[in-house]
Structures are given as structure tokens and as C-alpha cells.
Amino acid sequence: MRNINNLLAIASRSEFQQQEVTGKVTDIQTGETMPGVNVVVKGTNVGAITDGSGRYSINVADKNAVLVFSFIGYGIKEVPFAGKSIIDVVLERQVTGLEEVVVVGYGTQKKANLTGSLSSVNIESFQAKAVGQNLSAAFIGEASGVTVRQSTSSPGNDDAEIRIRGNGTFSSAGSSPLVLVDGIQQDMNNVNMNDIQSISILKDASSAAIYGTRAANGVILIETKRGKSGKMEVSLNSYVGFQRITEKPDFVDSWEYAESTNEALHNMGLGPQYTDEDIQLFKSGTSPDTHPNSNSFETFYSSGNPIQYKTDLAFSGGNENTTFRFSLGYNKNNSLVARAYAEDINFRLNVDSKLLENLYLKLNISGNRGFHTNPTSVKNGQWGFDPLIKTAYWYPVTLAEKNSDGTYNHYQGANVQADLDGKGYMSYWLDNIFVDPAIVWNILPELKITGEVSLTTNYNKNKFFKPKFTFSPSFSTSYAELQQQYSDNNLLTLRTIAEYSKTFNKVHEFRVLAGFEEEDFSTGNIHAYRNIFPNNSLFELNAASTENMTNSGNASEWAMQSYFGRINYVFNRKYLVEINSRYDGSSRFPKNNRWGFFPSGSLGWRISEEEFMNSLTSIDNLKLRASYGILGNSQISNYPYQRTINLGQDYPIGDVLAPGAATTVLPNELITWEKTSVLDIGLDFTLFDSKIDGSIDYFDKVTSDILYSISSSDILGLTPSEQNAGEVNNKGWDFNLSYQDKKGDFSYRISSNFSVIKNKVVSLAQVEKDIAKGLFVGESLGALYGYVWDGWFVDDADIQSYAPQPFVAQPGLPRFKDISGPDGIPDGVVDATYDQKVIGSTFPKYTFATTISASYKKFYISMLWQGSAGVHRYLRGMIGSAFHNWGPVQRWQYEGRWTEDNPDRYAVYPRFENSLKSIPVGMLSTFWARDASFLKLKNLEIGYNLPSTIANKLGLGNVRIYASGTNLLNFDKFPKGWDAEEEYGDWYWGVHYPLLSTTVFGVNIDF
Amino acid sequence: MIFNYTIMEKEIKKYIQWVIVSLMIIFNSSCVELDKDALDVLSTGSFWQNESDAKLALVGVYKSTGTDFWSSTNAIRMDAATDNAYSKDFNGWDDALSLEMTPENVILSSVWSAGYKKIAKCNNFLENIGNAEMDENKKREMIAEVRFIRAYQYFWLTNFFGDIPLVTNILDFNTANHVTRDPKTTIISFLYKELSESAVDLPTTRIASEKGRVNRGAALAMKGRLQMSEKKWSEAATTFKTIIDMGVFMIDPNYQNIFLEAGEKSNEIILAAQYLPTDYSWSQKGVLPSQYGGGYGTIKVVEDLVGAYLMKDGKAKESSPLYNPNQPFINRDPRLYYSIFLPGFTKFQGKTYQAHPDSTGGDQDRVPINSSSGYYAKKFIDESLGAITNYGGDIVLIRYAEVLLNYLESKIEAGNTIDQNLLDLTINQLRLRASVSMPIVTETNPGLLRDIVRRERRIELAFEGPLRIWDLMRWRIAHEKLVGKFYGMKITNDPSNYTKFEVNENGNVFVVNRIGMDPDINYLWPIPQSERDINGNLTQNSGY
């Protein structure tokens, strides 16, 4: 190291005398100064950015230097230094982004030369949208073919699910895209949004194939910002946000609930629970202890103070040899619920240093400590936030939460008020450390070698504690309990890449890349439990009794080796060829099936560059491209091919727990890669001086050899491992279109994307359908399967004259259609085998988003509308069913139910019964499979840029103040209180912490 | 100076470039190993070598697969399918013998699944045990144990489902998805063979360190149950007599204790599912009324059972002078007190159990709110521990009292002469238990004795797993018993003027109306629809 330091000292001393250049950058059309313009001394790392008044200052060390000015959406301008001390330039708005450079796998590429289907995210609008929400959720509406769904705003668990061009597979390998942050696989939520420089979404085989076996679901590349030399830039971003619940279910009052209960009991052949006197008392409200009108939902969701804060501070600067960017961020997100919040502290240091004339060091270090906590139920043995959420919906309106004497009631041991007062908690600490040094060696001007080592380590600690809680003198929980868990994940990545680029005879541009990469991952955890504490204020393991203590732990590993390469060839700026391939070996597969080869190729034709197009001046750019390739998916369990015997199958023998072992999994010794081939044909166009910009893509994506645990008969007695046994096809169209214009001080942009995806299961192992997993050949993934509802039975005569049902038919119960029989024709009887069919799909066929933004002088406004159609979801659990495990009744059910006095064939709800029994009211049918199309005003932002004259007086650069809101309006066909977009997955309860609307007020200041 | 720097720079350059080149080579020299073995499980290659492996696997076979009939899960709860109790709860057994039974019933598929999982474990053991090098006697004994465990599962599966696939070896998943049903008669002959042969190789007694492992008595008792199901009464009687003559089992003077952790080592217990506190436990909380630590009271007992317990004088309450309708619980067969929570009467954890319609306290049962009948099961519940979730009491599967009653029933049904000696050997041993001390039975008329024995079984064996269901099915009286209105505790002394809730003529509160069953259909359960969805070769029982 000493040598290098000396060397740097020598290098700087040996430099030529420097000269400062200053100047101003203005827009040629408007004449306004342009802040944020990049100024770089060509061929060096020396750079600067114009300040709020469009001014810059840069040190030039070479007489022959050339200054390069660039700004997104504007043409790049190169100005020779020629010894001048003031250089003012004007920039011209240009054909959108053609000269823009986008990040591709293991490198960058000029957008004009792209042949694959890649969406480059507009970072400014993305960051504006990310305000106040989880980073993954900001992908909503960002690009065609990218479906994003966020189901909860629960702090710490508010990740959105991202799908690129449909669900490619139904295996455990999953449909989540690969996310690489600065080239290393990471959780995107560990990245502070203000640190992001660029995001690329690779959608087709051509662009993603270089990531081989993990690219089948597409790839998201996130690059973080790097430093620029020159005056140190400091920027501050800060906001405060307020959350509110948008959808509240409307539960009936206690007297209505009591009446309904009696009605349901009567319908089930049981005696009533409430007398007329009871119902009167509920109504009068005179006995709040015995006859209350409780509302646990309000108790729960109004206990917190849902404010969020975020502050980020970034410094960037350096000299011509070393540049850096350092950022610090902090955010806290309180929830609607008391004692539930998430916070995160993060930092990132990116350093670029020139070690020698042709040798560079690139160092990325980042880390964050995430913490989130929530109250847990005081009930012994029951952990988690979900039980509280459940109770908030489920606790009877007819039972007081707390009596006037201060004692608590409980419903089967549950009471949200007690849980909140009980101070039991579940806390999670997540520490992530990421260190990634790379050495870049420019052996020749055309040849560059990069060697990189990166270490990603996550340490997780969970601590769950619940006190002994006294509900009343006669009822308390048995003891205090503590669970603690430690785990760590370690990923080591070693990578060497060689790149060669050269242009021959001015028309043959070649770029070649070859690389080798290894990854080694290990994880392990330790878990301990004790109970019976001396009091509620001690909660460390040693404070508890050893009597019931338990511990456990496990570990696993995987590793990969990969060779990959890419060749780009451009002829005469018109004809583009790209070939990508990767050869991957994974420890998850047996030796003889371990390696997989994943090639792809693509072609592009820049039609607009042809001479015959010269006359068509309205066409700025027109490019036709096509690609085909094969990708893989291997995100499965770590040892699927190994025949193993599970330990821990213990059983008491002689009153001692004797160790036992058993085979519980049937391994698949022939397991191999899941393969996805993608054909993509696309057309890019830019028209009328860049006013119109768009692209159309057709894709046909076939995933075969899907790793899939086929539903096996219970007679097998074992859990079968995944087999390579299925094929899924996603076919569709992606459309992107934007229009922008400017009239004086007013400019606006409308940008829309629209996707149509036809998802289809092509084949399953040896079967035509796997009902348990919702898989049917010829149908979409996530198919809903059930009976065809034909109203409710109205009376006994109706029952007699209608086909017999697969349950004891009674008036007010469903009438299912006889649609088939053993001979393929209706047989007069409705039964499970012949009269159920696919009645909908949970995967949306159409998704669309439109962003409308406008600016007038210093003001701007932007909004995002987003929606999907051609999708169904079941109303399940407490969402759809009244009396779900004697749970709540919603007003729409109460008011629209079938009764003997209202024997409506198509009443909005069947007769009341406890529907926990799946039969017959809850039997899945077209009645419960609802159209889940929706349209949302997902985001609205208004902002104001302080005039530079004022800002400068305050000693500031750019100052922007803004207000932003998410989830503002929602149009769907679901009952009040429920959002059609959300996945109410839990069959049993079906409720979770809702998606909230957030309103944020913030400021960005550049010093 | 400049010259010197240049030389130095050149040298350093060279040096660094060599470092880089070596680094690249290191990167390329694959320090990552792609052969990764699972870290916390055993691999089959190294298993099945010796006795300790065999023992590990044997214990693995014993371990519960969930909702099979060898676990706490179905103990107590199964009586919700009978005239003893009801549950009206999710996963309840209420519909097991009713018109409401459908192929989608979740109880059904969970019982099927857990049973076949256990059978697969047994098959796996039996197929591999041959590889282990160990003492041949011990091996033979282990094989007999596992064959018994498999037969035990098949016995109950065929009892409820009739024809079922008879699987005796390890299947691959394709075969498993295409099996067909074997006739019940095939299963029965298989079971005779398995139980007879395993009985020979099993020890008559188990030493303390082997408590919980199967013994000969268990194999014979199951064989006897099978003969009773098949109405082979003389053979059944012989089988049960063999157990009696073994002389290793005896009636425990303390009835209550047999079902508690304290009485686990009782000589009356022939076979029990083993439990330990915390490490291998079950939840008492599910059974207890909410008054005690927030129990869920999932099994609600009906008056029909409470009323079936005799008076202290050995007479039914209807004909005994000891019966006082205003104090219905005094002077009853003590087994009532051990088995059922009686409102206003049972003292538990120092508090009198309370339930009534006017209850105001949140913890006291307000009959009939939450479908409560006011009565809850108390057998198997350890008073000293209360509503804990980590209880370690064993669940009795077969006990000597049942063997004696089985013997007596077989003798009656076989048409053998009944004498006082036989009664004293069997039913009267139960009556004379120190903790019960009821008047002895002297009735020798088989017709009259049959009713006495049937009532005695219901009382003695209440809440003991599938026994009440089995009896209702064997006697084919389920369709007569399981229909119409059932009542809970008495809530008024003036039923005719009582209007708050529906009550019967005795003032007992109406709790549940059973829809009844079709005797031609519902004595067999349907094959689970989830299985038929996967395997088209599985036919359905008629009527479903």
C-alpha cells in the first residue's frame, strides 16, 4: 500500500499546472440556465455538475483537454478547452435518449445499439414515486410487462412482488426477477433510493442470458451513484409522511350481530344464544360491560401514530485521481399500530481511484442496520403480528374488550387491547454489510480486465418476548416466554471479466466480453427458547427457568461456477448483432446434470439510418430488433437430489425423548435445470422531433422442465422432491408510448405502458390437472377451480326440481349447475369430480399504467394511474364470509343476505351460517370468484423549485419542495373495506395489515 | 529527480501488474467446491448399518404423523361424532356419521393422510431393516413392532373407509398416484396374519426403559377387536381370554389416574401414545372450559351422556330413588365426576366450575353462548397443570378394562352361557375398582346383560379415541342414536314457563340438532375428494 501512496503522490506532483474553467450552461430553446448538467474532462474522471444557476467550475490539467457536457434528454456537447477560462455552452433537446448509455449485464451499452428488450427506468420520476414507500413498490407502472403488486404497508414487511412478463413457472424456483445491485445479487430494499443512479430491467433472453440460470424471470440492474471530481457536492433530502387507512370494512353493530347469530344458529340446527332482552341491552348501550358494541378494528388500527420520516445526506467529490461519493440515510416508519415500527440506518461509500495510468480501483462499501418490531399476542405459544391482526377483525362486537373495573375479557384467549397493553414484542434486527473491491486494468486501449471480489453478509437477530399477562383475577396467561434466534448468510462472489472493443475500418464496431464467476453461499441459524420468568421486566434467556428450554439450529450451503461471454457487432451503425451465452454449474444438481449452457442471440436493424429514410424527416429513429435465447432457473432447495434421512423424528420411549430418524422426502436423482426460452420481436420508434417515443414488443416465453412437486397421493406417505415436469407459456405484447411537448413555460409529458399477457400451462407431468395446486393444462397459472353458481335455493320445491347437490340442500344454500358427468354430458347430479371447472385466473391478463406530468415555470405536477384487468380473486376467510369461525358480519352481508323473508334467488349473500365449515356456503364457486380488475391513482406529486436567485441568497444551490401521495384513489368491484389488488392469501382468515395511503411533504437541497 | 521517479514508477507498475495477474489466476482457479452435501441430515448410504440405526428408524416410525389414531389429536375429540358430545368447531368430528359427511370433509382427508404416512414409514422400515447387522432376536422383535403399528393403522382405515389400497412396500410417486382399492376382505385377512404373527414375536411385558413400545397384549387386543368387527365371537373370546391368562395386566384401583401423567405406568394400560411435557406434548387448553386459563372447550358434552351414568345404587337415574332432579349430580357413578365438568358441582383448581345462562362474568360459561352445553370433557385433563399447551400425559389406546368388556361382549354374542364367575372376572372388576365401587352386576340373561354391558362401555370408555364411534358402527345403532335434538345442562326448574332459550321437559337447554344419517350410505366414509382428484383409479363408496 505504501508504494501506491507514494505513487499517487508522485503522480499528482508530476501533473501539469492546472487551470480553472468556469461557465454557464443554458437551454438553447428556452434560454434558461440548466442545473444538474454533467461536465467531464474527456477521457478522465474529472467532472463537475452545474449548480442551481447553471454554473460550473472545473479544473483542467491538459491544454488539449476537451470538455464534455451532457444532460438526460439533451444532445452531448464537446468543447475543446483551448486555454479558455470561461466556457459557456448551450444544449439542445435531442432525440430522446438515443445517445443515452444504459446499463446492461456486466457493462453498458448505447441505447441506440440495444437489440434486446430492456426498459431503462427514468430515475427522476422513479425516485419521486419511491418517496414514502418501499423501493420495490416504486416499480409500479414503471415499464410495460412489469407487474408489481404490493399487498401490505406493514413496516418492515412492505415489499412488493415484482413479475416480469408473467409468472414463468409454478415451481419453488419462483417467478421473482434477479436483482443485482452494482453487479452483485442483493435485496433491493437494502439500497437507499437516493443513492440510485440507474435502473435497467432486462426482459428478454438476449439481454438477460448473460445471467444464465438465474435470469429466467428477468433481471433488474441497479447501479448506485458514484463520485465526481471537483467541488464537493452536498445534497440533503428529507421528508415527513403521514399514513392513513384507505379501506375499512363496515362491520355490523352488536345488536345486529346478536340477531344475526341467532339466525345463523337456527339455520345450523342450533339453539339461539341471545335473548330479546340481550338485544335490547346491546341497542340501549346501558350495560357497556355485558352488552357493549366493541370495535377491535378501531382499537387496533388507531393505537399507533403512523408518521414516517426519512433524511438522507450525500457528499460527493474528489480530485482527478480519486473520486468518492458517501451517503448516510435514516428513516423511520411508524405504523397504525402502537409499538409497531421499522427503522433503517444506512451508508454507502463508492470510491474510484486511479492507481496507475492504466490501473483503477473501484471500491463499493455499503451497510445498513434495519430494525423492525411489533407487538405480539400475549397468548402462550402464539407468536406473530398476524394473530393480532386476525383478532382485530375477529373479536366479537358483543364482547367488551375491557370492563369498567379494569379487567380484560378475551375471546378464546385473544383480545387486541390486552395484546397492546401486554407489551409483548417481536423485534428483528437485520445487519447487512457489503464490500466489493474491483481492480480494472486497461492492458491495451482496447482491452480491459476487471478482477472483483465481493462479500455480502447479513446478520439477523430476532427476539420475541411476551410477559405473563393478567386478564382478570380469575384468568391470566401461564408464564412469560422468550424466543431468540440468530442467523447469518454469507455470499462470496469472485469474478474476472475481460472486455475488448475496437472499430475496424470505421464501420465494423466490435465489442467482446468474456468472464468467469464463482459464488459460494452459506447460511446457518441458532434458536433458543425459555419460559417462566421471575417477573415481566427481565427478558434475557438466563433469567428464565431451564425447565422447558429448547434449542435448535441448522445450516446449508450452495455454490455456483459460471463462464459467460458476449459479442456485439455493429455494421455501419445500421445493423446490430449480439450474442450472449453462459455456462453454469450449480451444487444443487447431481454431478451429471450439474452444468447447463444458456445461449442467446439478437439482431437489430436501425431502419432510420438507411438512406431511403432520409426523406422522412418526421422519423427520428426507427429500429427493428429480434432476439431468441434460453435462460435457466435454479432457485430451488439446496439438496433436492440427495437421498437423506431426517433426524429429529423423536418419540418418547421409557419416558425419555428417544432420538429417531425417518425418510420424509422422496428425492429426485435426475433433477436438472428449469429452462426458459424467449422469443422477442420489437420495434422502437421516435417521431416528430422526439415528441413521440415508443416501442412495441411481442414475446413468446416458454418455460419447460419446470421443477415442480407434483401433487402426489397421500398413499405415497412421503413428500416428493421437485421433478422436471411441466411447461408454461407466456405470450404477449408490451406497448410503450409517450408524448411530450412544450408551449412557452408549460411543458408536459404523457407516458403510457400497456401489456397483454396470455399465460397458459402447456403440460404437467402425467396429469391433465393438479387441482390442489390450481394447475390445469390449457389454463392460466393461478387458476380458480370450482362450481358454477346458479343462485340460492329458494324453497323445498326448488330443491326437489333441481339436480341433487353434493351436500344436504336447503333453502338459502347455493345451487350449483350440473355441467357434466362421467360420460362428458350432464348426468343430473352435481358432484365434485364432474361439475367443477376453471372459473377464473388470479394472474391479470391486462396491466396498464399512465404517467402524466407537467411543469409550468418552477412548478411541476406528476401523477400515475395504474390498473389491471382480466383477473379474478376469491373472497375468502373473513373477507367474504360472515361468521367465519364465529367472526364478524359485514354490512353488505347483513343487508343483502338470503332469509326466509327475503328468498331472493340472487341475494348478495347466502343464508347465515358459520362458514368455517367449507360446506356448503363456503364451497368454491363462481359466486366467490370475483372480478378483481381495478384502477388506481397510485401516485400524485406536486413540487416547486425555488428560484435560484432566492436559493443563492440563502446560500443554497437547488431547492425543491414537494408534496406526494400514494394510493390515493381506488376503483374496483370488491366489497367496501377490501382492495381487489391485494392478495388475501390465508385461506383460514384472509386478513392482513392493509395497504395504506401515504402523504409526504419533503424538501431536496443541494448545497 | 524526474528520471528516478520514472524508474520507480516502472518497477512498481511491473510489480502491481504481476499482483494483478496472480489475483486473476487465483480467481480462476476455482476455489469454490460444487459438491455440497446436506449438513443436518443423514444420507441413506451410510444408514441401515447396525442396531443403533435400526433403533433410530424404529423411533422414527413411532413418531406421530399428526391426525392418525395413535395421537392426542383425535383423543377426546372423536366423541363429537357420537351421542356423547359435539364440537361445532372447525375441523370438528360432528359430521363424521351424518348426512353432512362429504368427500371434501377435512377430517376425513387428514385421517387418511396421517394413516398412510405412518404406513409408508412402516413399509420403509420393513424394506430396509434387512440390511442392518444386529442381533436377530432384537431384529425380529422390531419387525413385529412395526408390523403391528402398520396393522393398527389399517384396522382403523378399513373400519371407516371400507375398501382401501393395501400398500405394503415403498412406492414411487407414479405408482402411488395410480393405486386401486383392495376389497376390505383382503385387508382383513392381511390384518389377521400380521397381528397373529407379530403377537408371537412381541414380548409380553416391557421394562421401564421400553415403556411405550408395543407388547404382545396390544397385538392380541387388536386381533380381538378385528374379530369383534367381523362378528367372529368365539374366536374373539379366545383371543381376549389369552390376554387375561397372560396375567400381566390388571385393573387399576384408581380410575382417574390411568388417564393422567401420574398413572402412566399403570398395569391396566396395554398401549398408550407417549407424551412428555414440552418436548413431545399436547395441549390441555383445547379441552378445558374457558374458566380455567382460557381453555377453548372444543368438546361439548351432551346430557345424553351425563344422564347415562348410573346412580350410586347401580340403577339408572330414571328408576333410582337417589336421583334428585334439582341436584342431578349427587349420588352418581363416580366415573361421572372423573370424566366430565359438571356446572356448579365440579371443583377444579380450587374453583367450582360455573356455567349458566345468566352468567355475566367473562370467564364463566354462558350457556348456550358459543354453543356451550355447560358440560365439558374432563378425562385426560391434569388438574394440577390447568390450561397448559405443553402437557405430557400419555393417551391410552388400549387398556385392560376394555379387554374385559370385549371378552364379556364376545361371550354374550357367541351365545355362551353367562355365569357370575364370568361377570366377576369382567364387568365387576370395573365396578369394584376402589375409586369406583359401584354395585356389582348379577344379571346373566344375555338379552338384558347386553344393554348393561353396552351402557358400561359407554361410561367406562367415554372420550377414549374412536371407541364410541366404533361401538355405534359395530352395533349399527348410529343411525338411530345420532338424530334429532340434543340438550345440554339443565338451566331451569320450571321448563314450561321458561322462554329465554329452548329447553326440554326437564329444563335442559337445547344445543344441537343432529341431521341424522342414511344407514345405507353413512356407515362408510367417502374416499377423500383430494385423493380422487389426483388418482382417478380410486373409486368412491356408494352414495357419495
Side-chain angles (χ1 to χ4, degrees), chain B residues 33-305:
Chain B
E33 177 58 68
L34 287 187
D35 285 318
K36 302 267 187 197
D37 283 324
L39 300 173
D40 48 14
V41 291
L42 294 170
S43 78
T44 16
S46 58
F47 200 68
W48 294 112
Q49 311 255 325
N50 50 37
E51 186 179 327
S52 75
D53 289 347
K55 215 160 172 195
L56 277 174
L58 180 72
V59 172
V61 168
Y62 271 98
K63 183 187 161 66
S64 167
T65 50
T67 50
D68 69 330
F69 298 105
W70 197 306
S71 70
S72 62
T73 333
N74 291 326
I76 309 172
R77 245 157 246 238
M78 284 189 79
D79 271 10
T82 72
D83 49 357
N84 286 354
Y86 66 100
S87 151
K88 283 295 162 201
D89 192 13
F90 189 42
N91 293 349
W93 279 87
D94 304 58
D95 298 339
L97 294 174
S98 88
L99 284 169
E100 291 195 68
M101 186 49 136
T102 70
E104 282 85 6
N105 187 297
V106 284
I107 287 285
L108 197 74
S109 49
S110 73
V111 164
W112 172 283
S113 163
Y116 272 106
K117 245 183 214 161
K118 193 95 166 183
I119 289 166
K121 276 194 193 179
C122 295
N123 291 338
N124 197 11
F125 181 95
L126 295 171
E127 236 168 73
N128 284 302
I129 182 71
N131 300 327
E133 281 181 28
M134 59 183 287
D135 179 273
E136 282 306 315
N137 289 327
K138 281 187 178 166
K139 193 188 267 187
R140 203 175 306 125
E141 185 186 313
M142 284 185 180
I143 290 170
E145 268 175 281
V146 174
R147 286 173 76 187
F148 170 83
I149 293 169
R150 184 172 63 180
Y152 183 90
Q153 297 299 329
Y154 271 121
F155 174 85
W156 289 114
L157 288 174
T158 194
N159 181 65
F160 290 116
F161 293 100
D163 301 348
I164 50 170
L166 177 61
V167 179
T168 56
N169 54 339
I170 307 173
L171 301 182
D172 63 32
F173 103 102
N174 200 18
T175 320
N177 283 2
H178 292 92
V179 294
T180 54
R181 297 168 75 190
D182 290 292
K184 186 170 178 179
T185 50
T186 311
I187 317 270
I188 299 293
S189 352
F190 171 75
L191 292 181
Y192 273 127
K193 179 164 174 288
E194 292 296 293
L195 292 169
S196 309
E197 290 179 12
S198 58
V200 175
D201 290 336
L202 285 168
T204 50
T205 55
R206 289 286 188 182
I207 55 172
S209 65
E210 291 179 352
K211 170 178 166 275
R213 287 178 65 177
V214 179
N215 55 35
R216 183 176 299 166
L220 291 172
M222 283 311 290
K223 186 180 171 186
R225 282 181 181 176
L226 185 65
Q227 288 158 330
M228 288 174 78
S229 285
E230 292 297 294
K231 306 205 184 316
K232 299 198 164 138
W233 300 110
S234 312
E235 291 93 327
T238 311
T239 306
F240 291 121
K241 191 67 177 31
T242 317
I243 302 174
I244 296 168
D245 291 343
M246 280 161 63
V248 297
F249 304 109
M250 57 201 63
I251 292 300
D252 195 311
N254 190 334
Y255 178 78
Q256 189 176 11
N257 250 22
I258 309 167
F259 311 104
L260 302 180
E261 214 174 341
E264 281 178 359
K265 296 190 173 70
S266 167
N267 285 331
E268 185 171 330
I269 298 170
I270 299 175
L271 182 67
Q274 303 292 298
Y275 286 90
L276 291 174
T278 305
D279 293 337
Y280 200 88
S281 60
W282 59 283
S283 170
Q284 292 205 138
K285 199 167 186 167
V287 183
L288 274 173
S290 63
Q291 188 179 346
Y292 302 102
Y296 307 146
T298 41
I299 303 307
K300 290 114 182 158
V301 176
V302 291
E303 176 64 28
D304 200 58
L305 173 63

Side-chain angles (χ1 to χ4, degrees), chain A residues 643 663-668 716 718-721 723, chain B residues 171-173:
Chain A
R643 187 170 278 271
T663 303
T664 54
V665 174
L666 188 69
N668 171 13
L716 181 62
L718 298 172
T719 312
S721 282
Q723 318 277 319
Chain B
L171 301 182
D172 63 32
F173 103 102

Side-chain angles (χ1 to χ4, degrees), chain A residues 269-271 273 275 278 379 449 474-475 518 548 554 561 594 642-643 645 651 654-655 661 713-714 919, chain B residues 24 30 32 35-36 40 42 44 56 102 177 211 274 278 293-294 296 363 366 370 500 510-511 513 531:
Chain A
L270 294 161
Q273 272 189 21
T275 61
D278 286 333
K379 204 163 166 179
I449 292 186
S474 62
F475 177 59
E518 292 184 306
N548 297 318
N554 62 51
Q561 283 175 4
R594 184 164 287 165
Q642 296 177 17
R643 187 170 278 271
I645 294 182
Y651 183 80
D655 282 336
S713 163
D714 289 335
I919 301 156
Chain B
M24 305 270 172
S30 27
V32 169
D35 285 318
K36 302 267 187 197
D40 48 14
L42 294 170
T44 16
L56 277 174
T102 70
N177 283 2
K211 170 178 166 275
Q274 303 292 298
T278 305
Y296 307 146
D363 290 336
R366 186 172 170 217
N370 298 333
K500 203 165 171 182
F510 160 66
V511 286
N513 188 20
E531 286 290 286

